[in-house]
Amino acid sequence: MGLYFVNVADELVGDALAGFARAHAEDVRWDERDGFVRALKPAPTRRVGLVSGGGSGHEPLHIGYVGTGMLDAACPGRVFASPHNRQIFAASRAVAGEGGVLHVVKNYTGDKINFGIAAERLAREGIACGRVLIDDDVATESDEVATGRRGTGATVLVEKILGAAADTGMGLAELVALGTDVAGRCRSLAVASGAHTSPATGRPAFDLPPGAIEYGVGIHGERARRTLGERSLRDLAEDMVAALADSLDLGPRAQVVLLVNGLGGITRLELYAVLGEVTRLLDKRGATTVRTLVGDFVTALDMRGFSLTLLAADDATLAYYDAPASAPAWCGRAG
């Protein structure tokens, strides 16, 4: 890829947020001074505000999921960098309900620190605050990784389910318990055949020889611990599904929600082929794929790769998943 289409590289995020707000002016508002996007039409039954955020470069996450039935606010940081705690504090204070505010946080050190500081500031103002931590990436599931599994694709599913639950009037403690349970039933894994392009230099973040596949990349362009030689999609999908199913201890009669997510530089043609292979493999295991999502949901700029996320779902989870929602990037469908 060549250089990005920008005025000034450091202004890309701000320019994009201004455009996003214009494109969805009926549903969201961009608070430029305090640095967050807010939903304009939250359900009147909601007692707890939902706030998430993280570095930019993962669009449509998180701003695309601000809207009725999902997030009340999202705080975008600079590319691949955590939002500042003052952004999170301002957004939380703006959307907190009578029951307080819930933070949905991906497991990255910067995000945990800044959301934590914001929570302390909210507590000093008497605003109750809870946290749900997303840690679904099996590529970092190892005793050698002190920080634990990274938070990736599962974030979208948890935000959708918590949004529906919050719309029922559920309280903060119940939402924390629900979100923690759902996050614990999600696993993801990502692969790439090409790195993302740096907005500053226009160069790939890392080099791969032709045909090589990075097995277990992160959404900030982190390289994997394994580099594979050229292999078919069928073989690759078999390895990935096995890793996810083993981590979830997926039984033969399990119900799963499947998210096939593009990392920003892969075609729909390929993503649907991935979906076909993965559902075939899940069928072979006796698991039932009850819902599917395919497309770009959590990207890594223009990384040429995809991730798989499995959610081991029960009927209550599916009811929340199927509940109506209207956010710019949500396209879930029942069935």
Side-chain angles (χ1 to χ4, degrees):
M1 179 178 173
L3 289 172
Y4 286 77
F5 293 101
V6 300
N7 294 315
V8 178
D10 285 348
E11 296 176 0
L12 174 57
V13 172
D15 290 347
L17 288 167
F20 175 81
R22 286 294 298 269
H24 306 287
E26 294 185 357
D27 298 312
V28 303
R29 184 174 67 199
W30 162 232
D31 187 321
E32 185 173 0
R33 188 192 68 175
D34 289 323
F36 64 90
V37 174
R38 178 178 183 172
L40 294 179
K41 302 172 184 173
T45 49
R46 187 172 288 206
R47 299 169 51 225
V48 175
L50 297 186
V51 176
S52 192
S56 296
H58 306 303
E59 288 68 28
L61 190 77
H62 294 274
I63 56 173
Y65 307 115
V66 174
T68 307
M70 293 192 74
L71 296 174
D72 292 288
C75 305
R78 301 172 65 135
V79 172
F80 294 170
S82 171
H84 196 280
N85 66 77
R86 63 174 168 71
Q87 293 174 256
I88 302 164
F89 172 71
S92 301
R93 187 166 58 174
V95 303
E98 63 181 84
V101 64
L102 176 61
H103 291 165
V104 181
V105 184
K106 300 190 301 301
N107 188 26
Y108 292 101
T109 301
D111 290 344
K112 290 170 66 178
I113 290 173
N114 281 299
F115 273 91
I117 294 171
E120 291 174 0
R121 295 180 63 186
L122 291 164
R124 286 198 291 271
E125 294 208 352
I127 299 173
C129 182
R131 169 188 289 192
V132 170
L133 188 69
I134 311 298
D135 59 346
D136 54 311
D137 183 10
V138 299
T140 45
E141 187 175 66
S142 168
D143 292 338
E144 299 173 6
V145 181
T147 53
R149 293 188 300 260
R150 297 176 293 216
T152 59
T155 311
V156 179
L157 302 178
V158 174
E159 288 176 353
K160 173 64 186 73
I161 290 163
L162 283 177
D167 282 353
T168 68
M170 189 176 286
L172 182 59
E174 294 169 286
L175 287 169
V176 170
L178 174 63
T180 302
D181 175 57
V182 172
R185 289 189 273 124
C186 289
R187 294 291 187 275
S188 298
L189 185 59
V191 297
S193 60
H196 72 274
T197 309
S198 166
T201 66
R203 299 171 61 86
F206 56 81
D207 294 319
L208 275 177
I213 296 170
E214 284 287 283
Y215 186 90
V217 293
I219 59 172
H220 301 105
E222 302 99 326
R223 294 197 71 161
R225 292 194 295 175
R226 294 173 59 193
T227 302
L228 308 178
E230 187 169 355
R231 61 182 53 197
S232 69
L233 170 60
R234 179 156 297 180
D235 288 344
L236 186 61
E238 189 158 343
D239 285 351
M240 295 175 75
V241 169
L244 295 170
D246 288 349
S247 182
L248 282 171
D249 194 20
L250 206 64
R253 289 185 292 276
Q255 297 185 117
V256 296
V257 176
L258 167 63
L259 168 61
V260 178
N261 171 60
L263 294 176
I266 188 172
T267 64
R268 286 290 181 116
L269 193 67
E270 293 161 282
L271 289 177
Y272 282 117
V274 172
L275 180 69
E277 288 294 343
V278 173
T279 52
R280 180 186 64 80
L281 291 164
L282 290 170
D283 290 346
K284 188 176 175 182
R285 285 174 168 268
T288 303
T289 308
V290 290
R291 305 289 186 272
T292 60
L293 283 171
V294 60
D296 288 358
F297 294 87
V298 184
T299 61
L301 288 172
D302 62 337
M303 181 177 278
R304 179 156 179 72
F306 68 88
S307 65
L308 303 178
T309 300
L310 295 184
L311 161 61
D314 54 21
D315 291 344
T317 304
L318 293 176
Y320 289 130
Y321 178 90
D322 290 338
S326 178
W330 177 249
C331 58
R333 298 286 188 277

